[in-house]
Amino acid sequence: MYNRFSKYSVTLFSLMLLGSAWAMMASVNSAFAQVGECNEDDVPMNYSLYAEDFKNGSYDSALPYLRWILRCAPAYPTKSDRNFKRTVELFEGMAMASEDAAVRRSLLDSALVYYEISPAAMTEADISFELYEWTFNKGRFIQSHAEEMPDLQGTVGSVYMDAYNIDHTQLQNYYINYIIYDMVSKDNKSDAVDFMDRVEIEFAGNAEVLSTIESWRGQLFTSPGERISFLESKVEKNPDDSDLKAELLQLYMDEKMRDRAYVLAESVLQSSPTPRLYRTVAKMRLDDGDTEEAIDLYKRSLDMPGGADAAKEVYFNLGIAHQQEGRLANARTQFSQSLKADASYVQALIAIGDLYVTAVQGCGSFEREDRAVYWLAADYFDRAAAATNMDALKNQARQRVNNIRKFFPTAEDKFFKNWNPGDRFAIDYGCYTWIGESTTVR
């Protein structure tokens, strides 16, 4: 039983109304002991008078007779909690009929006190009632009167938690979500985690509740360390969930936890390989400089069912792998394959431009013909800038053009080579035979 009476702003008017409640508590065992005040013969009459007025919404008129029934015959006539429920409803009805905010609050506080004291009073009077229902309804009562009782809204979550502890099977998903929200908003993250673990077990077959829990877990664990701990616990419970393993593996990689990453990678590739997992492991190998292993894993991912769905990404990374090994022609082939999968793949366009710049830097000379290769590189950077609406990528491509513009053949170079602006010019000589593409003289 909750006794928060001292927290409520109960006025003198409210205290007068509540006098019957405290008297009822003190006299419930001897309802008919004081014959002058509580006469058993008067019970039907008082009940009928209050019931009729209550039915007609005449709460002011019903109150004295209902007060007498609570004091003298609280179980009449059905030994149910009817009279107690009507007391709450009566005070709430009187409150909402008043235009005075202070009076409304006082009357609502009166109703809330009956929510507090009624379970004990009914137990004392051997009246049948559902403790869960009274506890839950108290929470709903406070929540539904947020405008009149703003200072009590912080107690709602704990009341619903009490209801959950009484009988969790009756609490719906909305209220479970409310409890978690209440804990999180009060920065009780550890309590929220413990509660969610409990709910996950007790609602194992409820897809809606489990979805709510999963959503909250994703929101709670925002730092990489927290997310890793969460995913590790999930993988332990769901060892066949490849998506969880892939996410955990990616986090291991991002956080440079290489030892854990390699152990998980080996387990994943043996137990539940998928194209995504192959790509994740391949990227890890590529980042660590194990390019041949990375190339093999990327190729194997393409051969798996559904693997071709990520073709542009796979071919792009294969190009990066070959470029790291100095195999520029092979790298260009892979980047071109990436563009075949998606002609507007900006990263592949930039990569080919970068590849041609690298070719010039590695050729060992810097003559007019070498400088002309920069025109071709600029073509790819311009295509990349035109192919995207993302400012970051667009600016990246344009910056690359600006960086190499100073290396373009000069007017004098073009004069001596008889290169006229707008003419087509083939890059297929010397160090650049493997390129075999044409550009436009700028």
Side-chain angles (χ1 to χ4, degrees):
M1 181 178 69
Y2 296 85
N3 190 1
R4 302 191 183 96
F5 181 77
S6 60
K7 297 182 181 179
Y8 304 143
S9 305
V10 183
T11 63
L12 179 59
F13 172 70
S14 181
L15 287 170
M16 292 172 63
L17 292 174
L18 289 173
S20 63
W22 308 117
M24 176 268 290
M25 286 288 289
S27 62
V28 72
N29 274 334
S30 55
F32 302 108
Q34 302 174 34
V35 177
E37 184 178 358
C38 292
N39 190 324
E40 187 172 2
D41 293 336
D42 294 336
V43 172
M45 177 190 68
N46 280 282
Y47 178 84
S48 178
L49 288 171
Y50 109 70
E52 186 65 25
D53 285 338
F54 180 88
K55 178 181 177 181
N56 295 328
S58 301
Y59 299 130
D60 289 336
S61 301
L63 180 58
Y65 303 109
L66 176 55
R67 179 186 299 159
W68 190 94
I69 289 293
L70 289 178
R71 184 172 64 252
C72 297
Y76 185 85
T78 61
K79 287 189 73 70
S80 72
D81 55 2
R82 176 191 299 174
N83 295 322
F84 292 88
K85 286 181 177 179
R86 285 179 173 178
T87 304
V88 171
E89 187 176 342
L90 181 147
F91 280 117
E92 185 178 21
M94 291 174 65
M96 303 318 294
S98 174
E99 296 182 0
D100 188 306
V103 172
R104 280 200 306 275
R105 175 58 192 265
S106 296
L107 289 165
L108 290 174
D109 281 339
S110 301
L112 186 55
V113 169
Y114 272 94
Y115 270 119
E116 298 279 353
I117 66 176
S118 292
M122 289 185 289
T123 300
E124 190 81 10
D126 195 25
I127 292 173
S128 176
F129 71 100
E130 290 290 336
L131 181 59
Y132 168 86
E133 182 181 358
W134 275 86
T135 305
F136 172 80
N137 285 342
K138 179 173 66 175
R140 283 291 298 126
F141 176 85
I142 299 172
Q143 187 182 5
S144 64
H145 291 292
E147 183 177 350
E148 294 84 10
M149 313 176 94
D151 55 311
L152 298 183
Q153 296 310 300
T155 68
V156 174
S158 61
V159 176
Y160 286 147
M161 186 71 237
D162 292 333
Y164 186 97
N165 288 331
I166 294 168
D167 185 359
H168 71 272
T169 64
Q170 295 195 56
L171 205 64
Q172 298 176 2
N173 181 64
Y174 169 85
Y175 302 101
I176 293 173
N177 182 73
Y178 193 100
I179 293 171
I180 299 172
Y181 169 80
D182 180 66
M183 292 177 176
V184 173
S185 66
K186 294 174 180 175
D187 202 27
N188 295 329
K189 186 180 291 187
S190 60
D191 291 341
V193 172
D194 291 342
F195 177 64
M196 287 189 292
D197 288 343
R198 177 181 170 187
V199 170
E200 198 169 32
I201 295 172
E202 294 175 337
F203 284 85
N206 189 314
E208 182 184 18
V209 172
L210 294 180
S211 176
T212 295
I213 297 301
E214 193 71 16
S215 175
W216 270 112
R217 289 193 191 280
Q219 296 176 53
L220 282 177
F221 305 115
T222 53
S223 72
E226 290 178 325
R227 187 68 184 169
I228 285 172
S229 296
F230 165 61
L231 287 173
E232 285 176 338
S233 66
K234 293 292 290 182
V235 168
E236 185 177 353
K237 297 175 184 176
N238 305 278
D240 297 328
D241 193 323
S242 58
D243 289 337
L244 285 175
K245 288 183 175 180
E247 184 180 355
L248 180 57
L249 188 57
Q250 185 63 56
L251 278 171
Y252 282 158
M253 293 165 56
D254 294 343
E255 296 305 303
K256 312 300 182 187
M257 303 170 72
R258 282 323 205 212
D259 290 342
R260 294 191 193 184
Y262 279 120
V263 170
L264 180 58
E266 187 65 27
S267 169
V268 164
L269 293 179
Q270 290 181 3
S271 62
S272 52
T274 66
R276 180 187 175 190
L277 287 169
Y278 265 99
R279 293 193 299 270
T280 303
V281 178
K283 184 65 168 62
M284 181 172 63
R285 298 293 188 185
L286 183 60
D287 291 344
D288 288 347
D290 191 353
T291 53
E292 298 307 321
E293 179 68 15
I295 290 171
D296 178 64
L297 291 168
Y298 275 126
K299 288 181 177 179
R300 290 167 67 182
S301 77
L302 284 174
D303 294 334
M304 300 181 71
D309 293 343
K312 71 175 184 180
E313 173 193 338
V314 171
Y315 285 122
F316 175 81
N317 283 298
L318 284 170
I320 297 296
H322 283 293
Q323 184 174 355
Q324 286 183 1
E325 293 299 310
R327 298 189 288 261
L328 303 190
N330 287 344
R332 197 269 305 273
T333 299
Q334 300 303 321
F335 291 141
S336 297
Q337 287 291 105
S338 181
L339 287 173
K340 283 184 179 180
D342 182 356
S344 63
Y345 191 35
V346 176
Q347 287 88 337
L349 290 167
I350 293 176
I352 293 176
D354 288 341
L355 196 65
Y356 292 159
V357 171
T358 300
V360 176
Q361 295 170 347
C363 195
S365 61
F366 200 57
E367 304 299 329
R368 296 182 180 101
E369 289 77 4
D370 298 299
R371 290 173 176 267
V373 179
Y374 284 112
W375 286 334
L376 182 58
D379 291 344
Y380 277 93
F381 296 144
D382 286 341
R383 283 175 59 188
T388 181
N389 292 321
M390 296 178 61
D391 290 340
L393 287 175
K394 191 182 291 290
N395 292 336
Q396 184 182 36
R398 287 173 175 170
Q399 186 60 47
R400 277 170 160 73
V401 175
N402 292 335
N403 290 342
I404 64 174
R405 195 183 302 278
K406 59 187 175 184
F407 301 121
F408 288 171
T410 64
E412 183 180 356
D413 292 333
K414 288 182 281 187
F415 174 79
F416 279 106
K417 298 298 293 186
N418 197 28
W419 293 339
N420 299 307
D423 290 349
R424 297 298 293 167
F425 181 75
I427 310 295
D428 59 357
Y429 45 81
C431 296
Y432 315 110
T433 304
W434 61 274
I435 294 180
E437 288 194 73
S438 295
T439 184
T440 301
V441 176
R442 297 188 178 219

